[in-house]
Amino acid sequence: MQILKRININNNVYYIIVEVEYKQSKMGFPILCLKNYKDEYWDGGDCTILIKEVEKNYTQDKAKQYDKNISFMADVLYIYDRIPFISGIKDIYISKNDNLPYSEGYISKEEIDNYIKQFNIKMNGNKNFKLSDARTWKL
Protein backbone atom coordinates (compact mmCIF):
# COMPACT_ATOMS: atom_id res chain seq x y z
CA MET A 1 0.00 0.00 0.00
CA GLN A 2 1.16 3.54 -0.66
CA ILE A 3 0.55 6.60 1.45
CA LEU A 4 1.03 10.08 -0.03
CA LYS A 5 1.83 12.98 2.29
CA ARG A 6 1.99 16.59 1.10
CA ILE A 7 5.09 18.67 1.76
CA ASN A 8 5.48 22.32 0.74
CA ILE A 9 9.04 23.27 -0.12
CA ASN A 10 10.11 26.56 -1.70
CA ASN A 11 6.51 27.41 -2.76
CA ASN A 12 6.24 24.03 -4.50
CA VAL A 13 3.80 21.26 -3.65
CA TYR A 14 5.37 17.82 -3.40
CA TYR A 15 3.98 14.53 -2.21
CA ILE A 16 6.25 12.01 -0.57
CA ILE A 17 5.25 8.45 -1.28
CA VAL A 18 5.64 5.93 1.51
CA GLU A 19 5.33 2.18 1.01
CA VAL A 20 3.64 0.45 3.94
CA GLU A 21 2.31 -3.02 4.61
CA TYR A 22 0.34 -4.84 7.27
CA LYS A 23 2.25 -7.25 9.49
CA GLN A 24 1.34 -9.30 12.50
CA SER A 25 2.47 -7.79 15.79
CA LYS A 26 4.01 -9.86 18.57
CA MET A 27 0.59 -9.73 20.23
CA GLY A 28 -1.02 -11.27 17.13
CA PHE A 29 -2.96 -8.29 15.76
CA PRO A 30 -2.28 -6.48 12.48
CA ILE A 31 -0.12 -3.35 12.47
CA LEU A 32 0.86 -1.03 9.64
CA CYS A 33 4.64 -0.93 9.06
CA LEU A 34 7.09 0.71 6.69
CA LYS A 35 7.89 -1.57 3.78
CA ASN A 36 11.45 -1.94 2.48
CA TYR A 37 13.04 0.13 5.24
CA LYS A 38 15.26 -1.13 8.07
CA ASP A 39 13.14 0.48 10.80
CA GLU A 40 9.65 -0.81 10.12
CA TYR A 41 7.93 1.60 12.52
CA TRP A 42 5.16 3.64 10.89
CA ASP A 43 3.04 6.36 12.43
CA GLY A 44 1.27 8.94 10.28
CA GLY A 45 1.31 11.49 13.09
CA ASP A 46 5.08 11.21 13.56
CA CYS A 47 5.51 11.51 9.80
CA THR A 48 3.39 14.68 9.76
CA ILE A 49 5.51 16.19 12.54
CA LEU A 50 8.68 15.30 10.62
CA ILE A 51 7.30 16.90 7.44
CA LYS A 52 6.43 20.12 9.30
CA GLU A 53 9.97 20.26 10.70
CA VAL A 54 11.50 19.65 7.26
CA GLU A 55 9.34 22.44 5.80
CA LYS A 56 10.17 24.82 8.65
CA ASN A 57 13.93 24.26 8.40
CA TYR A 58 14.13 24.50 4.59
CA THR A 59 16.27 27.18 2.99
CA GLN A 60 17.33 27.51 -0.62
CA ASP A 61 20.96 27.55 0.53
CA LYS A 62 20.52 24.17 2.21
CA ALA A 63 18.92 22.74 -0.93
CA LYS A 64 21.58 24.18 -3.24
CA GLN A 65 24.19 22.14 -1.39
CA TYR A 66 22.75 19.15 -3.25
CA ASP A 67 22.27 20.63 -6.72
CA LYS A 68 23.00 24.20 -7.84
CA ASN A 69 21.60 23.78 -11.36
CA ILE A 70 18.26 22.01 -11.04
CA SER A 71 16.03 23.35 -8.28
CA PHE A 72 13.64 20.38 -8.53
CA MET A 73 16.48 17.94 -7.81
CA ALA A 74 17.83 20.18 -5.05
CA ASP A 75 14.43 20.02 -3.34
CA VAL A 76 14.07 16.27 -3.94
CA LEU A 77 17.50 15.55 -2.47
CA TYR A 78 16.86 17.89 0.47
CA ILE A 79 13.66 15.98 1.25
CA TYR A 80 15.20 12.53 0.68
CA ASP A 81 18.16 13.27 2.96
CA ARG A 82 15.76 14.11 5.80
CA ILE A 83 13.00 11.57 5.10
CA PRO A 84 14.99 8.49 4.02
CA PHE A 85 12.13 5.97 4.07
CA ILE A 86 10.29 7.41 1.06
CA SER A 87 9.83 5.36 -2.09
CA GLY A 88 9.33 8.37 -4.34
CA ILE A 89 8.33 12.01 -4.68
CA LYS A 90 5.59 13.56 -6.80
CA ASP A 91 5.52 17.20 -7.73
CA ILE A 92 2.29 18.90 -8.65
CA TYR A 93 1.93 22.31 -10.23
CA ILE A 94 -1.38 24.04 -9.63
CA SER A 95 -2.85 26.39 -12.23
CA LYS A 96 -3.45 29.87 -10.82
CA ASN A 97 -6.34 30.39 -13.24
CA ASP A 98 -8.59 27.52 -12.16
CA ASN A 99 -6.74 26.19 -9.09
CA LEU A 100 -6.42 22.71 -10.61
CA PRO A 101 -3.33 20.59 -11.22
CA TYR A 102 -1.90 21.17 -14.68
CA SER A 103 1.29 19.15 -14.34
CA GLU A 104 2.48 16.20 -12.27
CA GLY A 105 5.87 14.53 -12.10
CA TYR A 106 7.24 11.55 -10.23
CA ILE A 107 10.73 10.38 -9.30
CA SER A 108 11.30 7.03 -7.62
CA LYS A 109 13.77 6.22 -4.85
CA GLU A 110 15.78 4.21 -7.38
CA GLU A 111 16.00 7.19 -9.74
CA ILE A 112 17.04 9.45 -6.85
CA ASP A 113 19.73 6.96 -5.79
CA ASN A 114 20.97 6.72 -9.40
CA TYR A 115 21.13 10.52 -9.68
CA ILE A 116 23.13 10.72 -6.44
CA LYS A 117 25.57 8.10 -7.71
CA GLN A 118 25.83 9.39 -11.28
CA PHE A 119 26.50 12.99 -10.28
CA ASN A 120 28.45 12.19 -7.11
CA ILE A 121 26.10 14.14 -4.86
CA LYS A 122 27.24 14.39 -1.25
CA MET A 123 24.41 13.41 1.06
CA ASN A 124 24.50 13.87 4.82
CA GLY A 125 23.02 10.44 5.39
CA ASN A 126 21.59 9.32 8.68
CA LYS A 127 22.18 5.66 9.54
CA ASN A 128 20.53 6.16 12.94
CA PHE A 129 17.27 7.66 11.63
CA LYS A 130 14.13 6.44 13.34
CA LEU A 131 10.74 7.94 12.63
CA SER A 132 9.74 7.24 16.23
CA ASP A 133 12.64 9.27 17.69
CA ALA A 134 12.83 12.97 16.79
CA ARG A 135 16.31 13.11 18.36
CA THR A 136 17.58 11.12 15.35
CA TRP A 137 16.16 13.52 12.75
CA LYS A 138 18.73 15.69 10.98
CA LEU A 139 16.94 18.83 9.91
Side-chain angles (χ1 to χ4, degrees):
M1 180 167 85
Q2 291 184 339
I3 295 175
L4 279 72
K5 293 273 214 176
R6 187 175 73 192
I7 182 168
N8 295 310
I9 297 289
N10 196 24
N11 296 320
N12 293 313
V13 177
Y14 298 104
Y15 286 87
I16 61 167
I17 298 164
V18 180
E19 296 277 336
V20 293
E21 64 185 344
Y22 286 100
K23 291 189 173 184
Q24 189 170 15
S25 73
K26 292 176 185 174
M27 302 295 287
F29 56 85
I31 58 172
L32 195 57
C33 299
L34 285 171
K35 185 177 180 181
N36 302 322
Y37 191 71
K38 64 183 184 235
D39 179 28
E40 294 181 336
Y41 172 83
W42 169 253
D43 183 279
D46 286 346
C47 186
T48 297
I49 293 168
L50 173 59
I51 288 169
K52 287 179 182 178
E53 289 298 315
V54 170
E55 290 173 337
K56 183 173 77 173
N57 287 285
Y58 174 87
T59 67
Q60 285 185 332
D61 287 338
K62 286 182 184 177
K64 285 182 181 180
Q65 292 175 8
Y66 300 101
D67 195 315
K68 292 180 173 97
N69 300 310
I70 304 171
S71 61
F72 168 75
M73 285 309 298
D75 288 350
V76 164
L77 295 168
Y78 171 85
I79 294 166
Y80 183 52
D81 211 16
R82 286 152 182 83
I83 310 176
F85 55 83
I86 62 174
S87 61
I89 298 176
K90 276 179 100 170
D91 66 323
I92 298 177
Y93 292 95
I94 305 296
S95 170
K96 290 180 182 171
N97 296 334
D98 53 12
N99 204 28
L100 293 171
Y102 70 87
S103 174
E104 289 186 23
Y106 170 77
I107 186 165
S108 69
K109 175 183 175 22
E110 292 78 19
E111 290 173 299
I112 297 168
D113 287 338
N114 287 340
Y115 189 89
I116 291 166
K117 186 176 179 180
Q118 181 178 358
F119 296 102
N120 201 25
I121 306 293
K122 183 181 178 326
M123 302 293 282
N124 295 320
N126 186 355
K127 291 184 269 182
N128 299 318
F129 177 89
K130 290 185 178 187
L131 179 60
S132 62
D133 187 354
R135 296 171 299 172
T136 67
W137 303 350
K138 291 184 180 177
L139 302 168

